[in-house]
Amino acid sequence: MAPPPVVTGLSPKEGPPGTRVTIRGEFLGNQPNDLIGLTICGCDCLLSAEWKSVNKIIARSGPGKGRGDIIVTTRSGGRGTSTVEFRGYHETIGPMKESAVWVEENLLWSRRSMSPSSYQQEDPLGLSVEENDKKFPEEELHEYFPDGSGDLTSENFTPGWFLLENHHATTFNDLKAGLAFLRRKVDGQKEGQLSFLKKNVGPVMDQVDTLLVLKDKIEQDIQEFGIDPTTKLEKAIREAMEEANKLFEDVLSRRDRADSTRSALALLTRFRFLFTLPTSIEHNIKKGDYDLVINDYARVKNLFGKTDVVVFKKVLAEVEHRIEKFQDMLHARLQQMPISIDEQKRLIRCLVNLETVGDPAWDAVASNAKHVTEQLNKCREEHRNAEVESVSKKSAQKHKNRQTNPDYQNSVPQRILLIEEITEIVTENLPNLWKMGQSYFMGDLYITPNFTRQTTFKHMILSVIETFCKYVREAVLPHTIDKKSLTATSSSSPSQPTTSLAWPVLELDSITEWLPHCLRYVRSSYTMLIKLDLPGEALDIVATLVQDLRMHTLSSLFKQATDKIKLLHKQETWRIEYEGNYGGITDLPFKFEKIIQEVMQLVKESVLISEQRENSLLQNPTSQREFNHLIQVMLCGISGTFEKLAFTNDSANDEDHTSAVSQLIGSPAVNRVEKVNYSTPIFEHRLLTTLANCQFTTKIVLPRLQDLFHKQGYPTPVIAIETAKSTLNTLDKSIMEAYLEQKCDPLVGTIEPSMYIGRFEWDTRNMTNDVSPYVKECLSNLISVQTEVYSISPTLVDKLLKQIVETVAEEISRLMSCVKKFSDQGNIQARVDILTLQDILSPYCTLTAKNFFKEALGVLPKIAPENQKIIDTTLQTSKKRMNLQIQCFHGVVSTQSNGIVL
């Protein structure tokens, strides 16, 4: 039964009789014949209705007047409702408007002027309507005057309607003036006939001319058509009446057919359930409503099972045939795998309710056991054949693939895919088999169980588990297959093949990395079997397999972590990430720590933690020694990684990245301008970054790892931690010495050439007012080194700069001791240079550096008192000029003391 029709929209919403109305809504009929009724304002409009779609109907309104609903009636949904209304009204017909109805002349023309202007006069009061632009609501006018009208020519003309519609904003005084105007106009029309003719001579003459023309036309028609010209008109009217009768007869015949069809349907509806049952069975089977099919079948047997009506017997025979086909379909679906246990129980219940012959419940159990064994054998056969085909190809192109295929090492072996699939097969199907068997023997499958089949069921379970364990060992633990007695599998399993196809011989290292993966899958299956509460005989087979896999997985995980740590230098991005007081470090220590954390967590979760029915692996002393050795090798691997990053010669990058120390004698030191962005920094930056990473790893990462071992319940590897720290400290000293050697020699080597640039001599007679260029260049070079160190590791600035300043002071002392003669001007210049260096570099001057500067000043001749003022003035002037250099050295030190990083 369809929903009843609902009208939700109209266009237009009002009009006179015969208005073409578009009706929109929902459930307006499925087809044209489904539309059996349409009323608009209470008038039947079905004859003019034109069905377009379920949401649209077009019709013409009837003679109804006023507001009313639009009611649509359909055969499928019945009588409908409407949320909108249509307003019908009758128009007043004027002399100039076309109409299909007769116009009463006395209604329009009695006691009215013949002048067209009199009829078409818009405002009889003669008032302005400029202030009445906004019309009064028409709905309210209908409420105030239900039977009235504002049309002057209407029989129901109401003055109040007219005034509200045209003069609702006119003042009372203006209305009085309009009334006086109307009275004068009426009085003016009460003239005699002579006066009327005088005023309307023109229209009267036009009418006379029209009458003469009409008279001539009538005489012409009489001559042409005869005295009775209406004969043809009468014939046409008669023909029209005949056609109208034909149309009416067709409507009546259609109505008769509809009534007869309706009567037949009423009779069929009484026994509709029986006659539609075969189709309903097919429809419900397609939808999967099996319970509805069974209920309908039981109902029809109760109602018509003993009937003697021939038609009913034919229908019942058809129903029985459909039910037999339904039973065959259910039985075939019950044995069609895979299928869920709930679906199987549902099918068994349906077959039992249909009184099917046989034992469908045991058929379901046997089908599950057969399906699991077939899936295991098929899976093993497919993956074994795939690996046999691929081994020969890989061995022939092994070297080529490793060079051209980056995913060669990451391709999953077929035997690993086998373990994934057979564990999924066991995990998904064995619970169904076990639960179906338990339900069968507990009597939950709607059939009385046969307890003699318990031994057969146990044999099914053991056969599946033994086959599963054998295939796992053949794939990843072939060296253990000889120690396990699995001959009973082939002899006790009728469905298992008697011959065993061996896997291709592979190196164990090629599958060792997949052992953790396999262990997770096998353990998940083992956990599932424990939850099923299987017999201990079956669980022991899987427990032995899990123990062997754990032993191999332990060493595999630590070996993988060690290999990852040794390859960390390939993942170095050299992107600086500041971390507290340990300078600029990269993410390499964090990656190292993350690898250790991951492998510790993975080993703990997948290997060390003993689950139900499993023994601990570290109870054996030999296993403990092996564990400690693996930890030590893994932790010490980071030292080799740092060493590769620090000292590996990258000639392609170092060739273009020159030293930050100025190599242009006599020109101020400038930082190099890199034309290309290199992913790998220059050698000095690598040394500093690696040095910061070493210190951070030694002081932060290793202690955190030691705490992590303790928190996660591992035996604390004290010896392994101390060995790793010792290795990192040795590497730290080597890196620092390499950096100082890289920076000190170029920087000190530029002092002497820059000092004597331009053939400068210390016995010069030229008076100076500034420090020498070599001092500025030396300071600029030191600032460059300081900036470089500070940008990477601020904590190393003080330690490195002090050693470099000692070397600079020693070189200045040496150069001054080699000068043979100083003039007064040269003496002043030398003292200004040395004092400037000593003062600006005072934050990094150690006792040794101060002694070197003191020795350099001691070599100079004594200064005259009058020249001391020149030295003081020059020092003050140069300090003002070199304020930026002073801030570079003194500002960094002050911020370091306050713990601030610029």
Side-chain angles (χ1 to χ4, degrees):
M1 190 70 179
V6 178
V7 177
T8 59
L10 294 176
S11 178
K13 295 184 178 181
E14 60 181 9
T19 301
R20 190 171 186 268
V21 181
T22 300
I23 303 171
R24 298 186 184 276
E26 298 178 351
F27 316 114
L28 302 181
N30 300 325
Q31 53 186 348
N33 294 336
D34 194 23
L35 183 64
I36 59 175
L38 174 64
T39 59
I40 300 177
C41 296
C43 298
D44 188 1
C45 301
L46 180 61
L47 291 178
S48 63
E50 181 180 358
W51 184 89
K52 293 294 184 180
S53 66
V54 295
N55 304 110
K56 181 179 178 181
I57 295 175
I58 297 177
R60 292 192 177 274
S61 62
K65 187 175 182 181
R67 294 184 178 275
D69 293 333
I70 291 82
I71 305 301
V72 177
T73 305
T74 62
R75 184 176 289 105
S76 59
R79 181 179 176 87
T81 58
S82 174
T83 60
V84 294
E85 292 183 342
F86 181 82
R87 187 178 74 86
Y89 59 87
H90 293 177
E91 288 186 333
T92 301
I93 307 302
M96 301 300 293
K97 187 171 183 178
E98 298 179 355
S99 175
V101 299
W102 180 257
V103 181
E104 297 286 346
E105 291 188 0
N106 58 354
L107 178 65
L108 297 176
W109 302 103
S110 60
R111 287 179 291 180
R112 298 284 300 234
S113 173
M114 296 296 293
S115 174
S117 60
S118 174
Y119 175 76
Q120 297 178 358
Q121 184 176 1
E122 295 182 357
D123 189 5
L125 298 180
L127 300 176
S128 174
V129 293
E130 293 181 357
E131 297 180 358
N132 297 276
D133 293 338
K134 186 176 181 181
K135 295 184 178 181
F136 201 82
E138 189 174 354
E139 291 77 5
E140 296 185 12
L141 292 174
H142 282 289
E143 294 178 1
Y144 296 153
F145 312 100
D147 298 328
S149 174
D151 190 357
L152 295 173
T153 61
S154 175
E155 292 180 350
N156 302 326
F157 172 72
T158 303
W161 183 312
F162 176 81
L163 291 177
L164 288 175
E165 184 178 16
N166 298 282
H167 297 284
H168 65 275
T170 305
T171 61
F172 181 72
N173 293 330
D174 291 341
L175 290 175
K176 291 173 64 177
L179 178 61
F181 173 78
L182 183 60
R183 287 176 177 173
R184 290 193 301 272
K185 184 177 178 181
V186 172
D187 294 339
Q189 291 181 355
K190 294 180 180 179
E191 301 172 317
Q193 295 182 354
L194 184 60
S195 298
F196 176 78
L197 291 175
K198 287 182 180 180
K199 287 185 178 181
N200 299 280
V201 172
V204 171
M205 296 301 297
D206 291 339
Q207 294 172 11
V208 172
D209 294 338
T210 302
L211 292 175
L212 291 175
V213 172
L214 181 61
K215 177 177 177 299
D216 296 337
K217 184 64 177 175
I218 292 174
E219 293 176 353
Q220 183 179 354
D221 290 342
I222 291 175
Q223 293 178 0
E224 183 176 354
F225 300 104
I227 280 191
D228 193 2
T230 62
T231 305
K232 293 183 178 180
L233 180 60
E234 181 181 1
K235 182 180 179 181
I237 292 174
R238 189 178 293 108
E239 291 177 355
M241 291 177 64
E242 292 177 355
E243 293 295 329
N245 290 333
K246 291 180 181 180
L247 179 62
F248 185 68
E249 290 175 358
D250 183 58
V251 173
L252 287 179
S253 62
R254 282 194 300 166
R255 183 170 182 177
D256 292 339
R257 287 197 302 270
D259 291 341
S260 61
T261 303
R262 191 179 297 109
S263 299
L265 290 176
L267 295 175
L268 291 175
T269 303
R270 183 177 179 182
F271 302 101
R272 177 181 179 183
F273 170 72
L274 176 62
F275 291 113
T276 60
L277 185 58
T279 305
S280 177
I281 289 175
E282 294 292 336
H283 180 67
N284 291 329
I285 290 175
K286 291 181 180 180
K287 292 197 305 181
D289 293 337
Y290 300 157
D291 293 336
L292 185 58
V293 174
I294 296 172
N295 293 335
D296 291 344
Y297 177 62
R299 179 183 173 191
V300 78
K301 287 184 67 176
N302 292 332
L303 294 176
F304 304 98
K306 299 179 181 180
T307 183
D308 294 331
V309 181
V310 178
V311 177
F312 290 172
K313 287 184 177 181
K314 290 182 180 180
V315 177
L316 287 176
E318 180 66 21
V319 171
E320 292 290 346
H321 178 67
R322 300 289 178 93
I323 292 299
E324 290 177 0
K325 293 175 60 177
F326 178 49
Q327 290 176 347
D328 295 338
M329 186 271 292
L330 290 179
H331 198 271
R333 181 71 183 89
L334 181 64
Q335 297 179 337
Q336 182 181 358
M337 297 294 167
I339 186 173
S340 65
I341 187 171
D342 293 334
E343 182 67 14
Q344 283 185 316
K345 290 182 178 180
R346 177 193 175 202
L347 296 176
I348 293 171
R349 177 172 54 81
C350 292
L351 289 171
V352 172
N353 291 334
L354 292 173
E355 300 178 357
T356 303
V357 180
D359 191 349
W362 180 251
D363 292 341
V365 174
S367 299
N368 275 279
K370 181 180 178 181
H371 171 69
V372 176
T373 305
E374 289 178 350
Q375 288 294 315
L376 291 175
N377 294 333
K378 180 181 178 182
C379 182
R380 192 254 189 188
E381 182 98 7
E382 291 178 354
H383 288 287
R384 184 261 175 196
N385 294 337
E387 183 163 310
V388 170
E389 294 177 0
S390 62
V391 163
S392 58
K393 297 180 181 179
K394 288 186 178 180
S395 60
Q397 300 181 355
K398 185 176 182 180
H399 179 70
K400 180 179 178 180
N401 288 340
R402 284 179 177 175
Q403 293 179 344
T404 60
N405 186 6
D407 296 331
Y408 176 77
Q409 297 294 339
N410 295 329
S411 59
V412 183
Q414 289 294 326
R415 58 185 69 199
I416 304 303
L417 297 177
L418 166 70
I419 293 178
E420 292 180 0
E421 292 190 19
I422 62 175
T423 52
E424 290 177 358
I425 290 172
V426 172
T427 303
E428 293 177 359
N429 296 278
L430 190 59
N432 292 341
L433 173 60
W434 177 255
K435 292 177 182 178
M436 283 296 296
Q438 295 297 101
S439 299
Y440 176 79
F441 293 110
M442 293 175 64
D444 295 338
L445 297 182
Y446 319 103
I447 289 181
T448 303
N450 185 356
F451 293 100
T452 59
R453 294 171 173 168
Q454 288 183 342
T455 303
T456 305
F457 178 69
K458 181 180 179 181
H459 174 76
M460 291 179 181
I461 298 296
L462 288 177
S463 176
V464 171
I465 293 177
E466 289 173 352
T467 303
F468 163 69
C469 294
K470 179 181 178 181
Y471 288 169
V472 172
R473 289 184 180 278
E474 288 178 348
V476 295
L477 298 174
H479 57 285
T480 65
I481 198 70
D482 295 335
K483 299 186 297 182
K484 309 303 173 185
S485 177
L486 297 178
T487 57
T489 304
S490 58
S491 62
S492 62
S493 178
S495 60
Q496 186 174 340
T498 56
T499 59
S500 177
L501 299 176
W503 286 84
V505 178
L506 296 177
E507 297 180 0
L508 291 180
D509 292 341
S510 63
I511 60 173
T512 300
E513 60 179 335
W514 297 101
L515 287 177
H517 185 69
C518 298
L519 179 59
R520 286 193 293 270
Y521 274 86
V522 175
R523 262 185 165 174
S524 64
S525 300
Y526 185 41
T527 303
M528 180 272 300
L529 295 177
I530 294 174
K531 293 180 179 179
L532 291 179
D533 195 18
L534 295 177
E537 182 181 356
L539 294 177
D540 290 341
I541 299 174
V542 185
T544 305
L545 174 65
V546 172
Q547 189 73 7
D548 291 344
L549 276 175
R550 289 176 66 196
M551 293 299 298
H552 286 275
T553 305
L554 178 66
S555 59
S556 173
L557 289 175
F558 284 112
K559 181 180 180 298
Q560 287 181 352
T562 303
D563 294 339
K564 289 181 181 178
I565 292 171
K566 291 180 180 179
L567 296 176
L568 277 178
H569 65 280
K570 296 182 180 180
Q571 302 180 20
E572 180 60 272
T573 60
W574 300 105
R575 186 174 63 183
I576 301 299
E577 297 180 3
Y578 289 94
E579 180 69 20
N581 297 325
Y582 294 95
I585 63 172
T586 64
D587 59 351
L588 202 61
F590 299 104
K591 290 181 179 179
F592 165 69
E593 184 179 9
K594 184 178 180 181
I595 292 174
I596 303 297
Q597 291 175 349
E598 289 177 352
V599 71
M600 289 170 59
Q601 185 68 24
L602 187 57
V603 168
K604 179 182 177 181
E605 293 177 353
S606 62
V607 179
L608 290 183
I609 296 180
S610 299
E611 297 183 1
Q612 189 176 359
R613 291 178 59 90
E614 294 182 2
N615 299 324
S616 176
L617 288 180
L618 296 182
Q619 291 179 352
N620 191 342
T622 304
S623 301
Q624 292 183 0
R625 287 194 298 270
E626 179 67 18
F627 172 78
N628 292 329
H629 174 71
L630 292 172
I631 294 294
Q632 181 174 332
V633 173
M634 182 174 58
L635 294 179
C636 292
I638 192 64
S639 300
T641 300
F642 286 151
E643 186 174 2
K644 290 179 182 179
L645 292 172
F647 296 108
T648 299
N649 185 19
D650 190 357
S651 58
N653 289 338
D654 293 342
E655 182 179 353
D656 295 333
H657 290 66
T658 58
S659 175
V661 179
S662 174
Q663 300 296 325
L664 299 176
I665 305 302
S667 64
V670 294
N671 292 329
R672 67 186 178 279
V673 178
E674 298 187 14
K675 298 181 181 179
V676 184
N677 292 327
Y678 293 90
S679 59
T680 303
I682 61 174
F683 179 60
E684 295 90 335
H685 289 185
R686 294 203 304 269
L687 291 174
L688 291 173
T689 304
T690 308
L691 188 61
N693 287 339
C694 285
Q695 292 183 355
F696 182 77
T697 303
T698 304
K699 299 178 181 180
I700 299 298
V701 176
L702 290 179
R704 286 203 301 227
L705 292 177
Q706 186 173 358
D707 295 339
L708 185 62
F709 275 102
H710 178 70
K711 290 180 180 179
Q712 293 196 358
Y714 283 84
T716 305
V718 179
I719 298 177
I721 295 290
E722 293 300 326
T723 303
K725 287 184 178 180
S726 176
T727 306
L728 288 174
N729 289 332
T730 303
L731 180 62
D732 183 278
K733 294 179 181 178
S734 300
I735 294 175
M736 186 171 293
E737 291 175 359
Y739 182 79
L740 291 175
E741 181 181 355
Q742 190 74 12
K743 287 298 182 182
C744 285
D745 292 343
L747 189 148
V748 173
T750 60
I751 295 177
E752 184 175 2
S754 180
M755 180 182 292
Y756 295 103
I757 194 171
R759 298 180 179 180
F760 173 79
E761 295 294 340
W762 289 106
D763 59 351
T764 180
R765 297 299 178 182
N766 295 328
M767 183 60 67
T768 182
N769 59 355
D770 198 359
V771 296
S772 298
Y774 78 89
V775 175
K776 296 180 180 179
E777 184 176 9
C778 181
L779 292 175
S780 297
N781 289 336
L782 286 171
I783 291 173
S784 178
V785 176
Q786 179 200 44
T787 303
E788 181 180 67
V789 178
Y790 189 85
S791 64
I792 298 177
S793 182
T795 57
L796 297 175
V797 172
D798 187 68
K799 187 175 183 179
L800 293 176
L801 262 293
K802 284 182 178 179
Q803 298 187 40
I804 297 176
V805 169
E806 285 184 1
T807 307
V808 171
E810 182 180 3
E811 179 66 11
I812 294 295
S813 176
R814 185 189 68 81
L815 291 176
M816 291 302 171
S817 63
C818 294
V819 178
K820 297 179 179 180
K821 183 180 179 181
F822 286 94
S823 63
D824 290 342
Q825 290 79 5
N827 188 10
I828 294 172
Q829 184 67 57
R831 287 183 179 275
V832 169
D833 294 344
I834 296 172
L835 292 173
T836 300
L837 283 173
Q838 184 178 7
D839 187 25
I840 294 178
L841 298 177
S842 59
Y844 302 103
C845 284
T846 62
L847 182 60
T848 302
K850 292 179 180 178
N851 290 334
F852 281 129
F853 282 124
K854 186 176 181 181
E855 291 176 2
L857 291 173
V859 173
L860 300 178
K862 293 184 179 180
I863 193 71
E866 60 274 10
N867 292 335
Q868 185 63 41
K869 294 181 180 180
I870 298 175
I871 293 174
D872 296 337
T873 304
T874 304
L875 286 174
Q876 293 178 0
T877 304
S878 63
K879 286 182 179 181
K880 291 181 181 179
R881 295 174 180 174
M882 301 176 68
N883 183 55
L884 180 60
Q885 288 86 338
I886 295 173
Q887 291 298 323
C888 287
F889 291 102
H890 292 262
V892 172
V893 173
S894 63
T895 54
Q896 284 182 347
S897 63
N898 294 330
I900 302 173
V901 178
L902 293 178

